[in-house]
Amino acid sequence: MKALEEGGVIQRYVALLNPRAIGFNVTVLVQVSLDRQVAERFQFFEQAVMERPEVLECDVTTGPSDFVMRVVVQDVAAYERFQREFLSRIEGVASTNSSFALKQVKYRTEFPLPDSAAPGRGTAARPRRPAARRRPVAARARRAGSAAAKK
């Protein structure tokens, strides 16, 4: 562990909290587009969101938006205030698109490490292959029947 800390692999230690247990009942995924894609606009936006604790994650992205953020708030009214009083007032923000998460299907904080990252290991882990999918018996029978009909 000490070597991983000194090597910069371990950045910090945290406790993972249940957001609902501490009053954060709403997660919003927010796409943000800037009016101009220039360094000054990106820097200004990045600096602004760094100061907001409800913004848990913010990534610069490719595609139709410039940023994607994960925001947690107590309720929809709190998000409306965040949008109206903060996000819409950031210079350079041209548009936002907010999607409210209905259910969290998967949330992981562990990275899939190759065996070589573990102390004393020298070989990389092979990715697991998904189990082979088989068609239902009825689908195989229909396919076999249509193949015989073509002959």
Side-chain angles (χ1 to χ4, degrees):
M1 293 298 273
K2 185 85 168 151
L4 294 174
E5 291 169 350
E6 290 172 355
V9 175
I10 296 176
Q11 293 180 340
R12 66 181 178 267
Y13 295 93
V14 298
L16 298 178
L17 305 176
N18 177 343
R20 292 190 189 282
I22 56 174
F24 293 102
N25 298 308
V26 176
T27 298
V28 188
L29 304 172
V30 186
Q31 295 178 319
V32 178
S33 296
L34 301 179
D35 58 357
R36 296 183 299 138
Q37 284 67 39
V38 295
E40 296 81 27
R41 288 288 200 236
F42 280 86
Q43 291 169 354
F44 190 81
F45 181 83
E46 291 170 17
Q47 184 178 10
V49 299
M50 291 297 288
E51 298 173 9
R52 296 303 296 234
E54 62 269 75
V55 178
L56 298 184
E57 299 176 34
C58 180
D59 295 299
V60 176
T61 59
T62 61
S65 61
D66 297 307
F67 294 91
V68 173
M69 302 187 301
R70 185 164 68 98
V71 177
V72 294
V73 289
Q74 293 80 11
D75 52 33
V76 175
Y79 181 72
E80 191 270 334
R81 284 189 305 277
F82 171 82
Q83 174 76 30
R84 181 174 26 87
E85 297 171 7
F86 170 70
L87 197 55
S88 66
R89 294 184 181 186
I90 299 174
E91 184 180 341
V93 171
S95 66
T96 62
N97 184 339
S98 304
S99 298
F100 288 78
L102 300 177
K103 176 177 127 178
Q104 189 172 65
V105 175
K106 182 176 180 178
Y107 174 72
R108 303 271 22 116
T109 60
E110 305 90 6
F111 284 94
L113 297 177
D115 285 343
S116 61
R121 305 266 178 132
T123 59
R126 293 186 183 156
R128 293 183 185 168
R129 289 186 178 186
R133 291 182 52 189
R134 297 201 32 98
R135 291 192 180 119
V137 174
R140 287 196 308 263
R142 279 194 305 273
R143 185 172 172 175
S146 65
K150 290 179 184 177
K151 289 183 181 181

